[in-house]
């Protein structure tokens, strides 16, 4: 009978917090500080990517990663970090020295940054930059590379 009495007084945690006014409180919006975290951040981040001549498509995390890679100082990196960056970009760095890997990274950075994007993303890039978004993929990539 004790268990039945205790079970009758049970209040689910959701109801308890709701009555106490502690359930589903809204967080105040924080201004964008370059660290990301909100829906409004993507507009400012896209503008920064556009200024840095980087692709503006993707999620906030992808845009932040592009900005971080842009700021990365390759001359101060150790060989392991350079090799990891090469692997991320698909550069075969197995038998390369650090200098050769740095040269390959710089070549990859100056190459067309948009070649790995989907057709939909390439069209968005053209539209976002005020370019004509009609044509084949090669035509759109040519427009982006000259802009």
């Amino acid at each position: 009978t004790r268990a039945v009495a205790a079970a009758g007084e049970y209040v689910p945690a959701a109801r308890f917090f709701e009555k106490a006014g502690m359930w589903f409180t809204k967080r105040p919006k924080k201004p964008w500080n370059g660290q990301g975290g909100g829906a409004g951040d993507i507009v400012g981040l896209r503008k920064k990517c556009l200024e840095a001549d980087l692709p503006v498509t993707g999620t906030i995390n992808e845009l932040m990663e592009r900005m971080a890679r842009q700021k990365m100082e390759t001359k101060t990196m150790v060989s392991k970090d350079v090799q990891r960056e090469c692997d991320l970009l698909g550069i075969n760095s197995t038998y390369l020295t650090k200098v050769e890997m740095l040269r390959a990274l710089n070549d990859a950075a100056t190459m067309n940054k948009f070649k790995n994007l989907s057709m939909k993303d390439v069209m968005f890039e053209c539209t976002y930059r005020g370019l004509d978004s009609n044509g084949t993929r090669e035509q759109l990539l040519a427009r982006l590379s000259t802009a």
Side-chain angles (χ1 to χ4, degrees):
T1 60
R2 268 177 130 184
V4 173
E9 297 173 13
Y10 172 75
V11 178
R15 284 198 189 141
F16 173 78
F17 286 124
E18 205 170 67
K19 287 180 183 176
M22 297 170 15
W23 198 253
F24 297 119
T25 56
K26 292 185 178 180
R27 289 183 179 167
K29 279 192 169 183
K30 295 180 182 177
W32 185 65
N33 59 0
Q35 300 300 318
D41 296 348
I42 197 157
V43 175
L45 201 50
R46 280 187 176 152
K47 287 180 183 176
K48 286 193 174 274
C49 284
L50 183 64
E51 291 170 4
D53 196 31
L54 295 171
V56 296
T57 57
T59 63
I60 289 177
N61 291 337
E62 291 170 346
L63 295 175
M64 287 174 45
E65 185 176 329
R66 285 184 197 136
M67 290 296 292
R69 284 195 182 172
Q70 180 76 8
K71 293 178 183 176
M72 190 181 328
E73 197 59 43
T74 54
K75 291 182 181 178
T76 60
M77 294 172 67
V78 294
S79 294
K80 271 189 179 177
D81 292 337
V82 176
Q83 188 169 12
R84 185 170 6 128
E85 286 300 314
C86 286
D87 292 343
L88 287 173
L89 292 174
I91 300 169
N92 186 3
S93 60
T94 309
Y95 301 108
L96 299 178
T97 64
K98 181 180 174 183
V99 174
E100 291 169 334
M101 287 189 282
L102 286 172
R103 191 175 302 127
L105 280 175
N106 288 333
D107 290 345
T110 57
M111 284 177 57
N112 194 351
K113 301 168 190 166
F114 307 103
K115 71 175 184 175
N116 293 331
L117 297 178
S118 67
M119 181 62 175
K120 184 178 176 182
D121 289 341
V122 172
M123 290 173 70
F124 178 80
E125 290 288 337
C126 288
T127 305
Y128 193 85
R129 295 167 191 271
L131 303 170
D132 184 22
S133 62
N134 295 324
T136 64
R137 179 180 174 81
E138 289 76 26
Q139 291 171 338
L140 297 179
L141 288 173
R143 285 184 202 133
L144 285 171
S145 63
T146 59

